[in-house]
Every structure is written in C-alpha cells, then in structure tokens.
C-alpha cells in the first residue's frame, strides 16, 4: 500500500547550481521559467531524511525527459510565455533534461530511494511530443492533424476530438488508431524507462486523450516483459478528468491499476474549505465511489495537484466568488492570513489519510503552502527555517498523521462504515481482522462533545487516541469524544 508524495523536479530542491540554466527570453516571467530544482536536489533530500521523516513510501515525480531550451506562447489569451520547466514537452525519447542532471544521476536517485524503501513513479507523456522532437520531424504519419476537415484548428477540443486534440500548436498529438508503429515505438519507449532507470511505475498524463489500444499494448508488454519474468509489480496510475464511467473504463486487468479519483476530490474540496457545506455531500460521493471501484481500491486521492488551485487559497478565502485564479496567481499571489486555515488543511489530510484508496500529498501540502492557478500552485518548495512557526507545527502534525496511516492496517485494508455525516461532523470506522479505527472530524468552529456508540459485538473495552497516546475506558459501548473546533480525533478501539 502506497502513500504517494508528488513533486515537480524543477520546483523542489536545487542541489546543483552548475545546471541552473533558465531560458533566455525577455517575455518569460520567473514563475514560468526554470527555478533550479534538479535530481541532485532530490538525492540531497533523501539523504537529509526529509522523506523518511514524512513517512511516505512512494514519490511521483514530473517528467525528467529532455525539453526545449526556448520559450513558447500559450494558445489561450493573453498568450503568456512558458518554458518546459514542468517536463511535459518532450524533445527526445530517452535523453534526460540537462537542467535536471544525467541518466546516471537519475539511476542513482532511484537506487537511493529503494534503499529507503521508497518507490518511484515517473510521469510519462504518451499523448504528444514537442515539435522539436525527432518523432514529429521524421514520422508525421504517427500524428493527427492540427487542422480539422472543416478548417477549424483541433486545439483543446477535450471532448469533441478527445483522442486527437492538440493541447498547443507546438505539441503534436499522436493518433494511435492510425499507426500501429507509433503504438509499438511509444510502448517500447515506456518499457525502456522502466528497465533502464529502475523506476517502479508510471503516473500517466492525459489518459482519456490516448487510445485504449495504447494502454492495452503497454500493459501487455509490462506483464510479459517485467512483471511475470521479474516478479516485480509495476503500478500504473492515470490522470483523467470526466465521469465515473469514463475514469473507470481505463481501470481493469488489461489497462491501468488506478486513476486519480477526481470525482471524490470535487466533493471533498469544498466540504473542507467551506464550513457551511455538510459532510453528507462528501459521504454520498464516497459511498458512490465504493460502488464503482470497490471499498478496497487503489485509486489516488488528492487535496492538491500541479493542475489545481491549492486548497489553502480557498480555505483562507483568497479564492472565492469572482476572483480569477490565473490572474490572481500572476499579479497578486495569495498568502495565508488565518491560523484556522491550517486546521482546515489538517482536517482534510486526516480524511485523506484515513479513507480507502491511496493518499497523494502534493509537495508543500505538508506545511500548508498556498497558491492560485498554474504556475502559482508550483512555487519553489521551502524547508526548515524557511517555514514560519505555524508551518513548522503543521508539518509536525502532518508527519504524525502520515505515520498513523502507515502503521495501521485497518486504514490501508479495512472496510468503511459511516457512523455520522452531518453539517459539522464526519465520523467513521475502518475495520480489518487486526483492529478497528474510529475517525472523528469536526469542521465547525465550535467544540463538540459527542457520544459515539459502537456495536456491542465489537466487544470494545477502550479507545486509544493515536494523536496523543491517551487511552479512555468505555462504558456501555460508548466512546466519549471531545473534539475542538476545526479538529479531528483518531482512536484505535481495543478489546
């Protein structure tokens, strides 16, 4: 079972100043240029014990493949300029981005991670390449056309031209339905990254925009070339925005292990940010997701991602109503002003770390980093004394929460039983053969004294508070819970 930590290589830690080579262009602002993060920076943080102290066991990193050395304008107005700092504009199938390091250094990173019992998921882009890529220059027949038969440009037509649309005029999209050769070359390329670098799996970009032919062929090759002969499980998680049915259609034995559960995220995010939206909304969506993916699923559960406005910007009130998140991010980046916002964050992460599925912590979540829309949600990571006192306390609290998830089997494999889901309280029990865990989340600003009745057949005698270590004895199968405003409790129920 994985606790995933998601990071952007360029924005995490600058370990080697000699490869800090921003793109030179007077039109590009620092937020859209290379900021200096690199593979050596990741190695340094493993050696520092940062990931060990956070108790995560899987790191998903953005692509390390070579990207262009020049800037390009975004298609939507106001046509801002960007570099490929994010890694999603490949210009070569196997070269490593020189601003991040070398292939040897990347192998060293994955090997070191494994010594710390950390698995590595690499972001893989199967949907497109950049126009500077040799595949585009030499094999135009592998790609769809930028111009549709009616003369319109096939740009960002996410639904209408789902399997062929281009994201930008400089990012040609593969049309796998027309070229078996493209399917073979790109699935072989994915296998090259697995075999050559020692990574443990992929986070797949833009899954719904890639033909099922591709995913089936890739998974077939992974099973026959790696999983069966090497007895090594390769985990594949995809990114798809859409309906339950669309997201689920890629999660099966022949395709992907999981996708990110964006439908659940869409319900959870406002519930934890806004104290007026009842927990019943979230519980309904959670129960629906169980019917679609099963209770014990390995779907990815997020609070933030590199494509979403950060939770703290909403919790703190910087993003509400008529505010344009993109313009706010460029012109007036939010700062956290309310101490209560950190409690909202900890409530959200308590939920994320105690429900079925795989929790995903986006870098900076662990101390309450804020940010509006891309690229403001991709600020440079901060460590140690760069954090304020309240951020340091939040980090310590989140480390404790992640460790509870890691140590307790019921939170990883248990069933899920809702006890209460009303305006202010979300109370549920996770049970497996070893233990039962009771979770109480209070999102109102006022203290709540609650009596939680547990079934008599549980034969529970005591409840141990896993956050404080204190044990309370039970009378009449009832746990007396006192939860402060915007606070949570996690109990281990014992016989």
């Amino acid at each position: 079972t994985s606790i995933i930590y998601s990071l952007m290589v360029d924005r995490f830690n600058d370990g080697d100043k000699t490869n800090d080579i921003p793109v030179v262009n007077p039109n590009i602002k620092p937020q859209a240029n290379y900021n200096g993060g690199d593979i050596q920076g990741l190695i340094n943080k493993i050696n520092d014990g940062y990931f060990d102290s956070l108790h995560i066991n899987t790191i998903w990193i953005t692509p390390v493949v070579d990207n262009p050395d020049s800037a390009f304008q975004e298609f939507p107005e106001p046509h801002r300029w960007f570099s490929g700092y994010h890694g999603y504009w490949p210009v070569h199938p196997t070269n490593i981005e020189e601003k991040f390091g070398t292939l040897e250094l990347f192998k060293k990173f994955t090997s070191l991670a494994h010594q710390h019992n950390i698995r590595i998921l690499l972001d893989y882009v199967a949907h497109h390449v950049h126009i500077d890529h040799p595949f585009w220059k030499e094999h135009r027949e592998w790609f769809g056309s930028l111009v549709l038969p009616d003369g319109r440009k096939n740009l960002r037509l996410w639904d209408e031209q789902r399997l062929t649309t281009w994201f930008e005029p400089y990012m040609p999209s593969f049309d796998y339905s027309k070229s078996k050769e493209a399917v073979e070359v790109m699935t072989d390329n994915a296998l090259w990254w697995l075999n050559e670098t020692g990574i443990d799996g992929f986070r797949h970009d833009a899954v719904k925009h890639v033909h099922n032919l591709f995913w089936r062929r890739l998974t077939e090759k992974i099973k026959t070339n790696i999983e069966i002969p090497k007895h090594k499980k390769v985990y594949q998680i995809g990114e798809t925005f859409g309906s339950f049915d669309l997201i689920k259609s890629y999660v099966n034995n022949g395709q992907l292990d999981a996708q990110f559960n964006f439908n659940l995220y869409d319900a959870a995010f406002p519930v934890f940010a806004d104290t007026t939206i009842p927990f019943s909304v979230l519980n309904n969506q959670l129960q629906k997701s169980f019917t679609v993916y099963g209770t014990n699923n390995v779907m990815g559960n997020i609070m933030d991602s590199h494509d979403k406005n950060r939770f703290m910007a909403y919790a703190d009130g910087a993003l509400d109503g008529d505010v344009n998140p993109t313009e706010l991010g460029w012109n007036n980046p939010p700062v956290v002003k309310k101490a209560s916002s950190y409690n909202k964050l900890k409530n959200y992460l308590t939920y994320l770390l105690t429900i079925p599925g795989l929790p995903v912590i986006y870098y900076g979540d662990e101390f309450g980093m804020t940010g509006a829309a891309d690229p403001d949600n991709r600020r440079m990571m901060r460590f140690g004394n760069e954090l304020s006192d309240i951020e340091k306390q939040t980090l310590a609290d989140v480390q404790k929460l992640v460790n509870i998830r890691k140590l307790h089997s019921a939170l990883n494999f248990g069933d899920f039983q809702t006890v209460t889901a009303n305006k202010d309280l979300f109370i549920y029990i996770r049970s497996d053969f070893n233990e039962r865990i009771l979770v109480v989340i209070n999102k109102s600003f006022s203290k709540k004294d609650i009596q939680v009745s547990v079934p008599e057949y549980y034969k529970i005698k005591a409840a141990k508070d896993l956050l404080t270590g204190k044990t309370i004895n039970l009378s009449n199968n009832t746990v007396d819970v006192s939860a402060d405003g915007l606070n949570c409790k996690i109990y281990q129920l014992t016989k």
Side-chain angles (χ1 to χ4, degrees):
T1 175
S2 290
I3 302 165
I4 300 171
Y5 188 85
S6 156
L7 63 84
M8 301 200 78
V9 179
D10 176 65
R11 300 300 165 93
F12 195 68
N13 189 36
D14 188 352
D16 180 359
K17 299 289 182 190
T18 66
N19 62 18
D20 292 3
I21 319 162
V23 169
V24 179
N25 184 313
N27 297 308
I28 190 169
K29 292 188 176 176
Q31 303 100 300
N33 211 332
Y34 284 88
N35 279 202
D38 49 34
I39 297 163
Q40 186 60 51
L42 302 181
I43 289 170
N44 293 353
K45 282 298 157 191
I46 293 181
N47 285 328
D48 284 354
Y50 186 78
F51 300 111
D52 292 339
S53 70
L54 197 54
H55 306 289
I56 57 95
N57 59 10
T58 305
I59 302 174
W60 148 32
I61 66 169
T62 44
V64 294
V65 69
D66 199 16
N67 270 237
D69 293 328
S70 51
F72 290 82
Q73 265 184 299
E74 198 174 41
F75 170 67
E77 291 183 347
H79 311 300
R80 288 189 172 97
W81 291 79
F82 285 82
S83 72
Y85 74 89
H86 41 68
Y88 293 100
W89 298 348
V91 297
H92 195 273
T94 56
N95 286 355
I96 298 272
E97 172 56 55
E98 70 281 358
K99 299 172 191 67
F100 295 162
T102 63
L103 181 60
E104 286 311 307
L105 197 66
F106 187 57
K107 290 180 187 178
K108 182 181 170 187
F109 161 67
T110 54
S111 174
L112 183 65
H114 292 158
Q115 289 168 34
H116 286 252
N117 294 316
I118 296 170
R119 291 178 289 253
I120 301 299
L121 301 179
L122 180 63
D123 217 312
Y124 189 74
V125 183
H127 169 264
H128 61 261
V129 295
H130 188 274
I131 51 172
D132 292 345
H133 199 294
F135 288 174
W136 170 246
K137 293 173 179 174
E138 296 161 17
H139 298 281
R140 293 286 165 100
E141 72 279 7
W142 292 358
F143 299 89
S145 171
L146 179 56
V147 181
L148 292 167
D150 61 8
R152 287 181 303 149
K153 284 195 171 172
N154 187 5
L155 273 171
R156 300 188 175 218
L157 301 175
W158 311 127
D159 298 313
E160 185 193 331
Q161 301 289 332
R162 179 159 71 86
L163 294 171
T164 60
T165 197
W166 292 29
F167 294 179
E168 294 285 355
Y170 46 86
M171 288 163 66
S173 165
F174 287 102
D175 187 346
Y176 290 114
S177 66
K178 287 184 183 168
S179 174
K180 191 170 184 219
E181 190 183 6
V183 174
E184 290 303 312
V185 168
M186 285 299 287
T187 50
D188 279 349
N189 180 243
L191 250 68
W192 181 91
W193 282 96
L194 281 167
N195 285 318
E196 191 69 26
T197 66
I199 56 169
D200 303 280
F202 293 118
R203 178 267 187 185
H204 287 299
D205 189 52
V207 164
K208 73 174 181 183
H209 300 296
V210 177
H211 204 287
N212 294 78
L213 282 165
F214 179 89
W215 303 120
R216 291 199 182 100
R217 186 71 179 120
L218 174 60
T219 300
E220 181 187 1
K221 285 184 178 179
I222 286 173
K223 283 179 188 291
T224 53
N225 294 301
I226 296 175
E227 291 190 333
I228 295 168
K230 296 183 180 177
H231 305 290
K232 176 183 175 175
K233 173 66 189 150
V234 175
Y235 177 71
Q236 297 185 86
I237 185 167
E239 174 214 33
T240 293
F241 297 99
S243 66
F244 271 112
D245 287 346
L246 180 66
I247 292 172
K248 175 75 170 76
S249 68
Y250 295 93
V251 182
N252 49 54
N253 191 33
Q255 296 187 85
L256 305 181
D257 298 290
Q259 297 222 64
F260 296 101
N261 198 341
F262 288 118
N263 302 101
L264 189 56
Y265 159 86
D266 288 338
F269 197 93
V271 165
F272 285 102
D274 183 343
T275 50
T276 65
I277 302 172
F279 273 121
S280 53
V281 172
L282 176 55
N283 184 55
N284 290 344
Q285 194 72 334
L286 195 56
Q287 299 299 335
K288 184 176 179 185
S289 82
F290 294 157
T291 64
V292 177
Y293 307 117
T295 306
N296 271 308
N297 61 74
V298 289
M299 298 290 284
N301 292 317
I302 69 165
M303 178 177 77
D304 286 328
S305 82
H306 62 301
D307 292 321
K308 299 287 190 183
N309 311 319
R310 283 197 184 255
F311 173 77
M312 284 298 272
Y314 284 97
D316 208 55
L319 286 177
D320 58 4
D322 302 324
V323 177
N324 180 319
T326 303
E327 296 309 311
L328 181 74
W330 282 102
N331 304 313
N332 188 21
V335 292
V336 183
K337 294 173 180 169
K338 302 171 191 165
S340 61
S341 301
Y342 293 94
N343 287 347
K344 289 181 178 180
L345 173 109
K346 286 185 275 193
N347 273 358
Y348 196 136
L349 289 176
T350 298
Y351 149 84
L352 202 70
L353 289 157
T354 57
I355 61 165
L358 304 189
V360 182
I361 294 172
Y362 180 52
Y363 81 98
D365 282 354
E366 63 264 45
F367 63 78
M369 189 187 276
T370 189
D374 165 13
D376 191 45
N377 58 356
R378 305 169 174 188
R379 298 178 188 183
M380 202 67 191
M381 179 62 171
R382 292 184 279 119
F383 300 97
N385 289 326
E386 295 171 318
L387 306 187
S388 68
D389 286 345
I390 195 165
E391 287 174 331
K392 286 177 182 173
Q393 183 58 53
T394 301
L395 174 60
D397 292 342
V398 172
Q399 287 170 335
K400 194 179 277 190
L401 286 169
V402 178
N403 200 33
I404 288 171
R405 166 70 180 218
K406 190 175 185 177
L407 293 176
H408 290 277
S409 62
L411 297 179
N412 290 293
F413 308 110
D415 60 16
F416 186 98
Q417 185 184 349
T418 303
V419 177
T420 302
N422 59 26
K423 182 172 177 288
D424 298 327
L425 294 169
F426 197 17
I427 304 173
Y428 49 89
I429 295 173
R430 302 285 312 275
S431 303
D432 69 356
F433 288 118
N434 301 307
E435 59 177 357
R436 300 184 195 278
I437 303 284
L438 170 68
V439 180
V440 179
I441 302 173
N442 174 17
K443 76 186 194 91
S444 77
F445 281 90
S446 57
K447 185 177 179 181
K448 298 278 182 186
D449 292 315
I450 318 131
Q451 288 192 320
V452 181
S453 297
V454 296
E456 202 171 316
Y457 60 83
Y458 280 10
K459 296 184 169 58
I460 300 300
K461 300 277 192 338
K464 181 184 179 183
D465 186 329
L466 294 175
L467 290 164
T468 65
K470 292 178 184 168
T471 299
I472 51 175
N473 294 318
L474 270 62
S475 56
N476 304 324
N477 299 302
T478 301
V479 186
D480 290 317
V481 179
S482 181
D484 290 338
L486 289 178
N487 219 300
C488 49
K489 297 276 188 184
I490 306 173
Y491 292 100
Q492 184 179 28
L493 304 178
T494 55
K495 290 183 179 180

